[in-house]
């Protein structure tokens, strides 16, 4: 199951798409067993009666609302018939316990929630007589109600309505929860501001939905046209960096020269010393900026040809989306799968919160608790959240890698499968689920310690000393960096698996060798390419925001613009990030394929290149440059792609 325990031999040669075999089967079996354990947790919580307690609700004496109950030993008011009392009513719904995430109030089963505010005790009594819904403890008759009793609701009783599907009476006005959000109270101390912002959102909801749809369309369009504007963006970025570094260095030297001329030797000793210290600091800053600028210019000079490779890869990535249009919809499928799993996970979490055996707490009311080893199912459930979520994301990466690999290593694009995406999904399910499960588990092993440290930091906030705080933040930062590095390596390992059908460890090793051999190219693509994609995200967000300003211009009260524009801009950036992240994955897969292609093929008969004409032109120009400088031997003439290769 480990890297050294695999029975699969490491392949020394890359043989793209020549054969397919199952990879990391032990890890697939382990993942299936883990999912069976997740199913056991769900089944246990349902079998222990948690489902009915969660949906129907229960009172403080262990009676489930809406049904006839059995007597609990030692609980006087248990075993009541609540067939006609279907709703849970809390005597003090605003008494929250944020630590245990529950309402610390007596709960009763009632036949109807009070829809209107009950201001006096007589209103409560009249409500009980008219509706048959007694809002005080079962032991009290309506004539015995008193405001001095803790078994009656706190007056005034706020109007409430039942929560759909969960049969709890929830206050219609949630202002009673505001004491747990002091910052919000401070911000909205003038209620008119809050009302104006909310009214601005409500009156502009059609515009907000239209702008969100616009950001979605713009993201799809940008994924297709970015190959045409990437060259312009890259060179704009290069020019801005050069001008910024030269300008910053020049300004520092100008400030140093001005400061040196303005020093008056007749100043008092204290002021003269301060002026000389400032001059010395400016000199250090100027020298450091000069060194940085020189190093930056040298790096850009060395990497200028590799920037051309980034542009070529962006151009080919645009072609990939034309040939594989279903790639555009990958964020939708992934989000839908994650959403379904998260809904399931939350439902099971809620079921666990009401599962177990009844016991009487210190206040004399009934709660439910899981005893014995099963109480640790919470931890298992949390690990499942991380591992399965990472598994779903890894499936997306493997699907994209498989489709792009098929595109790259198919010489005649007319021979591509009818739906390369579905073909990639089929290969993933048939051969590589174990590899995906193993890669997701590695990320999970890093995420869990980081989350634990973040939880410890939040619990010790304000209590720990400076050294402990620094160590915690350093550990969290290191684990975050490790997670990002492993995620990048995992993505390339999935690409290697899609090419060669090797197990995870073999694929990761082979991919790492290729990446190390092309370290400068990797650095260029991950800096220049990421910045270009970031500019694309900003472009979509800015365009959507500008459209929002123009559409909202009819409202003269400019303060109501704030919330709708913030919602629209955040949604636009999120959508752009989801789509352009797919673009980034495609570029990374293309680069690994290109690196393998140039390493094992040279254009000679029997070793023809697979690459697109744009990438071939880049290789030809590189060879011509090497010939002109005399740093390479006579190279072979690169052979063109097969006639079916698209030049779209």
């Amino acid at each position: 199951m480990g890297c050294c325990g695999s029975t699969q031999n490491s392949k020394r040669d890359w043989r793209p798409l020549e054969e397919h075999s199952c990879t990391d089967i032990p890890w697939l079996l382990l993942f299936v067993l883990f999912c069976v354990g997740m199913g056991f947790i769900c089944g246990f919580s349902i079998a222990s009666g948690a489902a009915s307690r969660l949906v129907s609700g229960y009172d403080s004496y262990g009676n489930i609302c809406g049904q006839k109950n059995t007597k609990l030993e030692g609980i006087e008011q248990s075993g009541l018939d609540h067939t006609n009392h279907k709703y849970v009513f809390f005597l003090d719904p605003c008494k929250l316990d944020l630590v245990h995430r529950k309402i610390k109030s007596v709960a009763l089963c009632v036949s109807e929630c009070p829809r209107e505010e009950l201001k006096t005790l007589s209103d409560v009594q009249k409500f009980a007589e008219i509706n048959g819904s007694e809002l005080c403890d079962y032991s009290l008759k309506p004539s015995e109600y008193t405001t001095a009793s803790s078994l009656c609701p706190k007056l005034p009783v706020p109007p409430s309505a039942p929560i759909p599907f969960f049969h709890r009476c929830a206050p219609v006005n949630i202002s009673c929860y505001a004491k747990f959000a002091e910052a919000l109270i401070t911000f909205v101390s003038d209620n008119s501001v809050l009302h104006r912002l909310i009214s601005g959102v409500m009156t502009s909801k059609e515009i907000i939905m239209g702008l969100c749809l616009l950001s979605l369309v713009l993201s799809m369009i940008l994924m297709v046209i970015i190959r045409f504007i990437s060259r312009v963006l890259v060179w704009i970025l290069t020019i801005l960096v050069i001008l910024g570094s030269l300008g910053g260095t020049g300004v520092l030297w100008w400030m140093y020269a001005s400061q040196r001329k303005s020093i008056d030797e007749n100043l008092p000793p204290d002021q003269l010393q301060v002026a000389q210290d400032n001059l010395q600091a400016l000199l250090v800053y100027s020298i450091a900026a000069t060194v940085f600028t020189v190093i930056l210019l040298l790096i850009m000079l060395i990497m200028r040809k590799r920037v051309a490779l980034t542009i070529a890869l962006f151009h080919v990535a645009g072609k990939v989306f034309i040939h594989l249009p279903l790639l555009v919809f990958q964020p939708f499928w992934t989000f839908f799968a994650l959403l379904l799993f998260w809904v399931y996970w939350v439902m099971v979490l809620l079921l666990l919160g009401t599962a177990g055996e009844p016991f009487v707490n210190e206040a004399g009311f009934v709660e439910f608790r899981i005893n014995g080893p099963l109480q640790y199912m919470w931890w298992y459930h949390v690990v499942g959240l991380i591992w399965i979520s990472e598994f779903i994301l890894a499936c997306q990466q493997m699907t994209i890698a498989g489709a792009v690999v098929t595109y790259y290593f198919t010489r005649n694009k007319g021979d591509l499968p009818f739906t390369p995406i579905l073909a990639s999904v089929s290969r993933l399910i048939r051969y590589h689920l174990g590899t995906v499960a193993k890669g997701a588990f590695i990320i999970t092993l890093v995420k869990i310690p980081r989350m634990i440290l973040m939880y410890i930091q939040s619990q010790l906030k304000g209590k720990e000393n400076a050294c402990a705080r620094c160590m915690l933040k350093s550990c969290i930062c290191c684990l975050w960096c490790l997670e990002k590095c492993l995620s990048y390596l995992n993505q390339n390992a999935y690409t290697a698996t899609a090419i060669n059908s090797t197990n995870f460890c073999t694929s990761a090793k082979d991919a790492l060798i290729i990446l190390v051999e092309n370290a400068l190219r990797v650095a260029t693509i991950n800096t220049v390419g990421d910045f270009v994609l970031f500019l694309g995200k900003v472009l979509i967000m800015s365009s959507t925001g500008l459209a929002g300003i123009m559409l909202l211009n009819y409202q003269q009260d400019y303060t109501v613009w704030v919330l709708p524009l913030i919602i629209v801009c955040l949604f636009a950036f999120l959508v752009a990030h989801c789509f352009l992240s797919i673009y980034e994955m495609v570029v990374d897969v293309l680069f690994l394929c290109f690196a393998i292609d140039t390493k094992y093929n040279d254009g000679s008969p029997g070793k023809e290149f697979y690459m697109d004409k744009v990438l071939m032109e880049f290789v030809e120009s590189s060879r011509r440059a090497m010939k002109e400088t005399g740093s390479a031997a006579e190279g072979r003439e690169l052979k063109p792609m097969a006639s079916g290769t698209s030049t779209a």
Side-chain angles (χ1 to χ4, degrees), residues 540-582:
I540 291 174
M541 184 181 69
S542 303
S543 302
T544 307
L546 178 61
I549 292 174
M550 296 174 65
L551 291 174
L552 293 170
N553 192 40
Y554 72 92
Q555 298 185 13
Q556 298 300 318
D557 188 356
Y558 296 107
T559 58
V560 302
W561 285 21
V562 177
L563 202 53
L565 277 180
I566 290 176
I567 293 173
V568 166
C569 290
L570 288 178
F571 183 83
F573 189 85
L574 178 63
V575 170
H577 174 74
C578 291
F579 279 92
L580 293 181
S581 294
I582 302 297

Side-chain angles (χ1 to χ4, degrees), residues 5 38 79 288 364 463 572:
M38 294 283 289
K463 301 177 183 178

Side-chain angles (χ1 to χ4, degrees), residues 581-593:
S581 294
I582 302 297
Y583 201 96
E584 183 180 3
M585 291 182 198
V586 171
V587 171
D588 289 337
V589 174
L590 284 174
F591 170 71
L592 190 64
C593 294

Side-chain angles (χ1 to χ4, degrees), residues 520-538:
L520 287 178
R521 288 175 171 176
V522 172
T524 306
I525 293 171
N526 285 326
T527 51
V528 178
D530 287 354
F531 189 81
V532 170
L533 294 178
F534 173 75
L535 290 180
K537 299 172 189 177
V538 174

Side-chain angles (χ1 to χ4, degrees), residues 389-443:
S389 297
E390 290 295 330
F391 176 82
I392 294 172
L393 293 173
C395 285
Q396 173 184 265
Q397 294 176 349
M398 180 68 85
T399 300
I400 294 172
V404 177
V405 164
T406 301
Y407 170 85
Y408 188 96
F409 289 107
T410 300
R411 296 186 186 279
N412 188 347
K413 304 311 179 193
D415 295 335
L416 285 170
F418 178 69
T419 52
I421 290 291
L422 297 182
S424 179
V425 172
S426 176
R427 288 196 301 271
L428 166 64
I429 296 174
R430 292 177 61 186
Y431 301 113
H432 305 313
L433 285 178
T435 298
V436 170
K438 186 173 184 177
F441 182 77
I442 291 174
I443 301 299

Side-chain angles (χ1 to χ4, degrees), residues 413-634:
K413 304 311 179 193
D415 295 335
L416 285 170
F418 178 69
T419 52
I421 290 291
L422 297 182
S424 179
V425 172
S426 176
R427 288 196 301 271
L428 166 64
I429 296 174
R430 292 177 61 186
Y431 301 113
H432 305 313
L433 285 178
T435 298
V436 170
K438 186 173 184 177
F441 182 77
I442 291 174
I443 301 299
T444 304
L445 286 181
V446 181
K447 269 186 180 295
I448 292 176
R450 184 166 67 88
M451 294 176 67
I452 292 175
L453 289 178
M454 291 174 66
Y455 175 76
I456 294 174
Q457 183 186 23
S458 65
Q459 293 299 308
L460 297 179
K461 192 171 184 179
K463 301 177 183 178
E464 78 279 15
N465 56 37
C467 182
R469 183 168 59 252
C470 180
M471 290 180 62
L472 272 175
K473 289 184 177 180
S474 299
C475 292
I476 292 172
C477 181
C478 291
L479 287 173
W480 181 84
C481 294
L482 177 61
E483 179 186 334
K484 294 302 178 184
C485 293
L486 289 176
S487 296
Y488 182 73
L489 181 59
N490 278 9
Q491 181 180 327
N492 286 279
Y494 299 147
T495 303
T497 297
I499 295 173
N500 245 9
S501 271
T502 48
N503 61 44
F504 179 84
C505 289
T506 302
S507 299
K509 181 192 67 176
D510 294 342
L512 182 61
I513 292 173
I514 295 293
L515 294 176
V516 171
E517 291 174 349
N518 296 270
L520 287 178
R521 288 175 171 176
V522 172
T524 306
I525 293 171
N526 285 326
T527 51
V528 178
D530 287 354
F531 189 81
V532 170
L533 294 178
F534 173 75
L535 290 180
K537 299 172 189 177
V538 174
L539 175 64
I540 291 174
M541 184 181 69
S542 303
S543 302
T544 307
L546 178 61
I549 292 174
M550 296 174 65
L551 291 174
L552 293 170
N553 192 40
Y554 72 92
Q555 298 185 13
Q556 298 300 318
D557 188 356
Y558 296 107
T559 58
V560 302
W561 285 21
V562 177
L563 202 53
L565 277 180
I566 290 176
I567 293 173
V568 166
C569 290
L570 288 178
F571 183 83
F573 189 85
L574 178 63
V575 170
H577 174 74
C578 291
F579 279 92
L580 293 181
S581 294
I582 302 297
Y583 201 96
E584 183 180 3
M585 291 182 198
V586 171
V587 171
D588 289 337
V589 174
L590 284 174
F591 170 71
L592 190 64
C593 294
F594 170 78
I596 294 168
D597 196 10
T598 54
K599 181 176 181 179
Y600 291 97
N601 297 310
D602 56 9
S604 62
K607 290 188 175 182
E608 293 87 357
F609 287 109
Y610 290 94
M611 67 184 67
D612 186 270
K613 285 185 177 180
V614 176
L615 292 173
M616 194 176 294
E617 291 172 0
F618 166 78
V619 174
E620 286 180 337
S621 62
S622 299
R623 287 191 174 184
R624 284 196 298 268
M626 293 174 67
K627 286 181 180 180
E628 292 173 0
T629 56
S631 60
E634 184 178 352

